[in-house]
Amino acid sequence: MFNDSIKMKGRLNIVLTGPDGEVKEQHEVDNLVVTVGKNFIASRMKDTTDTAMSHMEVGTGSTAAAVGDTALGAAVASSRVSLTSTTVSTNSVAYVATFPAGTGTGALTEAGIFNASSSGTMLCRTVFSVINKGAADTLGITWTVTVN
């Protein structure tokens, strides 16, 4: 008898950079691949009916990530940005996004990956300790999702 189980997990590398180019904060955070995200992955194995993941968003919600989540708890207005790159390597995908000066400003505590510029399907969500992004700061997130 075979016993094989597939698990998905994600990890973020979050870097806050000041206007002078100096790194102010850097964090490594685990995340949750939500149920609609797992359903999305299964649908992509069938065909490409669902649009590929293309955007990342930040917010100020503090409720713990749950498998039933379909959106951020409290998205920051106009904070959804296009991914700057998506790289597949062995059994993982790395999604990269940059929130430039003036975008996603505030006391950030959550992030998510989506397949649309608004609404859409959320693949992953995470909640983290407060990162205070000033209006002149840049926030970079590299989000790696691994299947094993």
Side-chain angles (χ1 to χ4, degrees), residues 3-7 148:
N3 185 8
D4 191 10
S5 62
I6 296 175
K7 295 181 181 179
N148 56 14

Side-chain angles (χ1 to χ4, degrees), residues 61-98:
S62 58
T63 302
V67 295
D69 289 346
T70 58
L72 294 183
V76 172
S78 302
S79 73
R80 195 173 290 196
V81 298
S82 295
L83 298 174
T84 55
S85 71
T86 303
T87 306
V88 177
S89 176
T90 313
N91 61 331
S92 65
V93 180
Y95 301 98
V96 178
T98 300

Side-chain angles (χ1 to χ4, degrees), residues 6 11 15-16 18 30 39 45 62 69 76 86 88 92-94 97-99 106 121 126 131 137 140 145:
I6 296 175
R11 186 141 182 92
V15 179
L16 180 67
D30 289 328
N39 293 342
M45 290 178 1
S62 58
D69 289 346
V76 172
T86 303
V88 177
S92 65
V93 180
T98 300
F99 297 84
T121 299
T126 192
I131 296 174
D137 294 336
V145 177

Side-chain angles (χ1 to χ4, degrees), residues 13-139:
N13 179 18
I14 305 171
V15 179
L16 180 67
T17 306
D20 58 0
E22 293 292 319
V23 173
K24 295 170 105 177
E25 294 181 49
Q26 185 166 356
H27 304 271
E28 292 280 335
V29 183
D30 289 328
N31 85 269
L32 179 65
V33 178
V34 296
T35 300
V36 293
K38 291 176 182 176
N39 293 342
F40 168 84
I41 291 167
S43 76
R44 294 285 293 184
M45 290 178 1
K46 174 190 165 282
D47 58 31
T48 57
T49 302
D50 286 328
T51 305
M53 292 297 142
S54 57
H55 289 77
M56 204 175 289
E57 186 172 46
V58 291
T60 58
S62 58
T63 302
V67 295
D69 289 346
T70 58
L72 294 183
V76 172
S78 302
S79 73
R80 195 173 290 196
V81 298
S82 295
L83 298 174
T84 55
S85 71
T86 303
T87 306
V88 177
S89 176
T90 313
N91 61 331
S92 65
V93 180
Y95 301 98
V96 178
T98 300
F99 297 84
T103 301
T105 299
L108 306 177
T109 54
E110 63 177 336
I113 299 174
F114 298 86
N115 71 343
S117 59
S118 64
S119 299
T121 299
M122 181 169 67
L123 176 65
C124 301
R125 177 172 178 252
T126 192
V127 176
F128 45 83
S129 297
V130 174
I131 296 174
N132 290 303
K133 182 182 180 296
D137 294 336
T138 298
L139 183 73

